[in-house]
Amino acid sequence: MLACLLALAAVQDWPQFQGPRGDGTSPERGLLRAWPEEGPPVRWRAPIKMGWASPSVVGNDVIIPWTEQPNGVKETVACLNAADGTEKWRHTYDVDAYWKRNIGWAKGGFRSTPAVDDRRVYTLGAVGHLFCLERSDGKVVWTRNLWDEWFPSGEKGYNFSPILAGGKLILYYGDGCSRVGDKEKNRVVLCRALDPATGETLWTFEEPHRPDARMGEGQTPAIAELGGRLCAIFTGNRDLVALALDDGKPVWRFEAVKPEGRGTTIPTPLVLDRLIVNIPDLDYPHAVALDRAKPAAPATMAWKKESNMFTAIHAFRHREGFLYGFAGQIVGESEASASESVLSLSCMEASTGKVRWSERGFRNGVAILEADGLLFVRLYQTLRLVEATPDGYRQLGEVKTHNVRKATLNLVDLVSPVLSRGGLYVRTPDELIRYDVAAK
């Protein structure tokens, strides 16, 4: 009986960006500690189209979005059966051609990971189509087009993910948005909370963009308590900022990014007990020390590493006082140059930033998930199983996931794997694959 209870406690939904904890780790246990030569068992492969969004998994529903054509025109959100990969429903809608919106790297497709609760699905397309859909059949509950109100700050359209927290749908538009119709294009830092049931705006946080700060794009906020209040934590105007979810007012901020760094950095801040680990674009990775129970108390820079740490998309994953992630430079002048980038998988001490080990050779290496002391790591057309230990790099398995050699399509390797109920979901340019990684 106890074994059954422990097994039930080990399974977990993956309901939105970065999973149940919001940090790219899963509480699931009882996973395979090593893979056979051919890799873990494949439960199913489902045909999909291109996108840079991870799936979200709740119960037996797998929600996965994609773009129907490389130039946009139509986007799709589909619900698959977690047991066998068959399609339950799909919602397809028309959008402007991506080139009309100046979407860079358009062939990457849909960018944002869906958020899912017990009744509904919330998705955000590349050109700002925000949908609330019935989880049971995909019917539209409400919709808003964000691009009708605000121009995003970056070149890749809307690429943050909506987050459900505190009974609200949280949207962090980023640093450097401008209001539609504003001829002066006054830039702002913008975050909003919507009513998940109706899509109505509950509160808006808006402040002018600092002219001496670089603009940024695409960050999804972390959710954590500060001073007993649930907060959204993000980077804006070079500061780490915490907004209370109940009213959208700032409860804490700390200038963390140097003047030439971006106002928004793409990796989500990693909130630990008394640290916030931040990996800014055009700056050094660092950790801010604070007392989250007393946000009015002074915060300090715990450490700042003058090392070549750059992930562009995903933060480091934390386990037992250590951080696991990628060091190196993703060269982003074009899809082709980015797909040729080679990085190193590294382990750092969370408290000091000291590098314990670093393993080179991860082409396209960025996407990583931690569960049960294991790292599920994506690199060029490949998935690796690595032990999450500070004692050195220990590879426990490897499998080839796909074989597509077009530059933009190769960047799907940057999409994080997802773990739910022993199923590991990996997105390729034309398939969603479910591997069974639970020990028998």
Side-chain angles (χ1 to χ4, degrees):
M1 181 65 179
L2 178 59
C4 292
L5 291 174
L6 291 173
L8 287 172
V11 300
Q12 184 72 54
D13 289 332
W14 192 279
Q16 56 189 356
F17 181 70
Q18 294 204 138
R21 294 167 166 165
D23 63 359
T25 71
S26 169
E28 291 204 20
R29 297 293 180 263
L31 305 180
L32 290 171
R33 310 306 298 180
W35 293 346
E37 184 176 351
E38 66 275 14
V42 175
R43 171 78 68 93
W44 50 257
R45 297 173 181 266
I48 61 173
K49 294 185 179 179
M50 187 60 188
W52 285 337
S54 294
S56 293
V57 185
V58 176
N60 199 38
D61 294 334
V62 181
I63 308 299
I64 180 78
W66 63 75
T67 300
E68 289 290 335
Q69 299 171 219
N71 63 347
V73 183
K74 291 181 183 295
E75 293 175 336
T76 290
V77 180
C79 178
L80 309 182
N81 187 315
D84 58 15
T86 56
E87 188 174 299
K88 295 183 175 183
W89 55 258
R90 72 167 62 185
H91 172 66
T92 300
Y93 55 93
D94 295 330
V95 300
D96 286 340
Y98 287 172
W99 62 265
K100 290 185 178 180
R101 298 292 195 187
N102 234 1
I103 300 289
W105 296 10
K107 294 179 182 178
F110 207 108
R111 282 96 158 102
S112 300
T113 296
V116 185
D117 61 21
D118 58 346
R119 293 183 55 196
R120 295 182 176 127
V121 172
Y122 304 87
T123 66
L124 176 60
V127 291
H129 292 78
L130 179 66
F131 278 96
C132 171
L133 307 174
E134 292 287 0
R135 188 176 140 198
S136 59
D137 57 14
K139 291 183 179 178
V140 176
V141 179
W142 56 261
T143 183
R144 291 177 65 164
N145 189 348
L146 303 191
W147 212 309
D148 288 345
E149 305 169 305
W150 291 91
F151 295 120
S153 60
E155 65 172 350
K156 297 180 181 66
Y158 279 99
N159 55 357
F160 66 85
S161 296
I163 293 293
L164 288 164
K168 299 174 176 64
L169 186 67
I170 307 301
L171 309 176
Y172 178 43
Y173 292 62
D175 185 346
C177 302
S178 60
R179 192 183 299 274
V180 172
D182 180 359
K183 294 182 180 180
E184 301 299 322
K185 291 188 177 179
N186 294 295
R187 302 288 184 172
V188 303
V189 178
L190 182 67
C191 185
R192 278 179 164 174
L194 308 186
D195 182 341
T198 65
E200 295 180 4
T201 301
L202 299 176
W203 54 254
T204 297
F205 170 81
E206 179 183 336
E207 69 178 21
H209 169 75
R210 289 171 57 172
D212 63 338
R214 293 174 63 100
M215 293 182 293
E217 59 182 326
Q219 187 180 72
T220 302
I223 305 297
E225 280 195 4
L226 271 77
R229 301 173 74 184
L230 198 61
C231 295
I233 301 173
F234 55 79
T235 313
N237 273 333
R238 304 207 318 257
D239 290 353
L240 279 167
V241 181
L243 301 183
L245 295 192
D246 53 8
D247 60 8
K249 305 296 184 184
V251 299
W252 177 84
R253 66 191 304 156
F254 182 86
E255 186 166 347
V257 181
K258 63 186 179 183
E260 58 269 36
R262 288 188 184 270
T264 299
T265 59
I266 295 175
T268 299
L270 175 60
V271 183
L272 304 178
D273 182 25
R274 289 179 171 264
L275 288 176
I276 298 180
V277 180
N278 200 27
I279 308 178
D281 192 3
L282 305 177
D283 199 353
Y284 299 125
H286 56 258
V288 176
L290 75 162
D291 184 346
R292 289 202 285 130
K294 301 176 182 178
T300 59
M301 192 71 76
W303 54 261
K304 194 164 189 174
K305 294 293 295 182
E306 295 187 11
S307 56
N308 191 19
M309 298 284 186
F310 182 79
T311 66
I313 297 174
H314 300 295
F316 279 64
R317 308 312 187 198
H318 175 257
R319 180 174 174 83
E320 296 179 347
F322 294 92
L323 307 175
Y324 300 89
F326 286 95
Q329 181 72 30
I330 295 178
V331 182
E333 285 81 3
S334 69
E335 301 97 315
S337 61
S339 69
E340 294 294 330
S341 297
V342 179
L343 296 93
S344 299
L345 181 64
S346 300
C347 170
M348 301 167 59
E349 294 177 359
S351 60
T352 66
K354 179 182 178 181
V355 176
R356 295 290 294 264
W357 57 259
S358 185
E359 179 74 11
R360 286 186 52 79
F362 286 78
R363 179 179 171 188
N364 273 17
V366 169
I368 183 171
L369 179 158
E370 187 279 331
D372 201 15
L374 301 168
L375 305 175
F376 299 88
V377 184
R378 295 195 70 174
L379 63 156
Y380 187 73
Q381 303 177 0
T382 303
L383 179 71
R384 284 186 187 174
L385 182 68
V386 177
E387 185 177 357
T389 173
D391 298 330
Y393 177 78
R394 297 176 182 172
Q395 184 172 317
L396 306 176
E398 181 175 286
V399 64
K400 184 86 168 179
T401 56
H402 64 285
N403 187 20
V404 177
R405 299 185 183 277
K406 293 182 180 180
T408 304
L409 303 186
N410 287 340
L411 293 178
V412 79
D413 293 315
L414 276 58
V415 178
S416 181
V418 161
L419 178 66
S420 179
R421 292 172 169 77
L424 186 75
Y425 298 85
V426 176
R427 180 172 201 150
T428 79
D430 54 14
E431 287 184 321
L432 183 64
I433 307 171
R434 172 176 168 161
Y435 295 99
D436 284 339
V437 295
K440 302 298 184 184

